[in-house]
Amino acid sequence: MKKFAKILAFILSLCLLCGCMIFVSACDNGNDNPGDDGNIGTEPGGDGTEPGGNTDPGDDSNPGTFTFEAEYVDLMFISGHGYSNEVEGTGCIVKDTYGASASNGYFVGYIYEEGNELEFVIHSDKAVTGAKLVLRATMEYRDYEMTWQDLAITVNDGDPIQYRNLKFSNVQDIFSLGGALRPFSDFTIGNIDLQEGENVIKLEVTNNTTMTGTMRATAPIVDCIKISTDSGATLSWGEGYPLEDNLSRFQ
């Protein structure tokens, strides 16, 4: 009888142990990565300072986001410089055959001279406060950290926006890599105010730091700007824009 009682006690202990193991397993919920707290915004490039910050610039699923392409601005007075050549005006427009994810398939380069300006003329159907301005750009030949004193960005001839430095890393030499170009990234410039009617957002090269070859200043390659607002305003190109004929030579 005592032997039977010992066997019964052993069986009961075994059952209790198995029950505890099942409970612990259920509480674990299958999270095999103890360092993953569910924050998916911490990957490199999430802030737009590396390739991959936004690799699908054409997706404006947010109805409050408006994209304005650099290839549609007035380039008449741009004096462009390359490694060993010079171009003028619409000659600064380049078709993206480099795998750089340009939003409309084209971008503006060559603006390597102090005083060169890209002016985006934009119409707003109402006054807007605190809209977010984003610049989509890349760099060629060398890594560079661009400051607001290298590239002045203004709205309606106001003071230059003192934006956070634009860090271009992993820049590729297009000669040594068979025509590759660092993918475009989105950089948040800051919050801006727009007046009802016409507005001018200007990007001006304000340095004479030579890059390489005949490039007389350091500047980004510009794909587009994006403006986001939850004000309900509708933003569009100003009168006379976009200059779609700028792309006629590619047709």
Side-chain angles (χ1 to χ4, degrees), residues 36 71 76 196 210 227 237:
D36 179 9
E71 59 268 23
M76 181 179 294
E196 181 177 356
T210 58
I227 304 174
W237 284 101

Side-chain angles (χ1 to χ4, degrees), residues 84-128:
S84 59
N85 65 317
E86 296 189 354
V87 297
E88 299 290 334
T90 57
C92 295
I93 300 174
V94 181
K95 187 172 184 178
D96 183 12
T97 59
Y98 304 91
S101 299
S103 62
N104 190 45
Y106 300 89
F107 54 80
V108 172
Y110 292 102
I111 59 174
Y112 306 114
E113 182 175 324
E114 186 175 11
N116 273 339
E117 299 176 348
L118 299 181
E119 292 190 353
F120 295 81
V121 181
I122 296 166
H123 182 272
S124 178
D125 65 353
K126 61 188 294 187
V128 175

Side-chain angles (χ1 to χ4, degrees), residues 180-246:
L181 182 65
R182 176 194 184 277
F184 285 97
S185 296
D186 285 2
F187 297 93
T188 297
I189 300 302
N191 293 330
I192 62 172
D193 297 336
L194 300 175
Q195 61 192 15
E196 181 177 356
E198 188 173 278
N199 298 267
V200 177
I201 298 177
K202 182 188 303 182
L203 281 60
E204 180 182 359
V205 179
T206 49
N207 72 85
N208 57 8
T209 303
T210 58
M211 288 183 65
T212 187
T214 63
M215 301 174 179
R216 301 177 183 177
T218 297
I221 297 172
V222 180
D223 180 19
C224 63
I225 63 171
K226 300 178 183 181
I227 304 174
S228 298
T229 175
D230 58 5
S231 67
T234 297
L235 308 183
S236 57
W237 284 101
E239 185 176 356
Y241 294 88
L243 298 180
E244 295 179 334
D245 287 345
N246 284 357

Side-chain angles (χ1 to χ4, degrees), residues 139-209:
M139 179 74 69
E140 60 179 333
Y141 292 107
R142 63 186 176 93
D143 291 0
Y144 195 78
E145 186 168 338
M146 184 160 290
T147 73
W148 65 274
Q149 295 170 313
D150 294 320
L151 180 73
I153 301 178
T154 59
V155 179
N156 296 330
D157 289 326
D159 293 332
I161 301 171
Q162 297 186 30
Y163 54 82
R164 187 174 63 177
N165 291 359
L166 312 182
K167 298 179 181 179
F168 296 96
S169 58
N170 300 317
V171 174
Q172 303 170 10
D173 185 331
I174 62 175
F175 286 125
S176 64
L177 294 178
L181 182 65
R182 176 194 184 277
F184 285 97
S185 296
D186 285 2
F187 297 93
T188 297
I189 300 302
N191 293 330
I192 62 172
D193 297 336
L194 300 175
Q195 61 192 15
E196 181 177 356
E198 188 173 278
N199 298 267
V200 177
I201 298 177
K202 182 188 303 182
L203 281 60
E204 180 182 359
V205 179
T206 49
N207 72 85
N208 57 8
T209 303

Side-chain angles (χ1 to χ4, degrees), residues 2-24:
K2 289 182 178 180
K3 184 176 181 180
F4 176 76
K6 288 182 178 180
I7 293 174
L8 182 60
F10 174 76
I11 293 173
L12 289 174
S13 298
L14 187 61
C15 290
L16 288 172
L17 178 60
C18 291
C20 290
M21 292 176 66
I22 292 171
F23 176 77
V24 171

Side-chain angles (χ1 to χ4, degrees), residues 32-55:
D32 294 326
N33 183 1
D36 179 9
D37 61 359
N39 182 357
I40 61 173
T42 56
E43 294 88 347
D47 61 355
T49 59
E50 294 294 341
N54 182 350
T55 56

Side-chain angles (χ1 to χ4, degrees), residues 61-72:
S61 55
N62 180 352
T65 298
F66 303 87
T67 300
F68 299 91
E69 301 290 342
E71 59 268 23
Y72 290 144

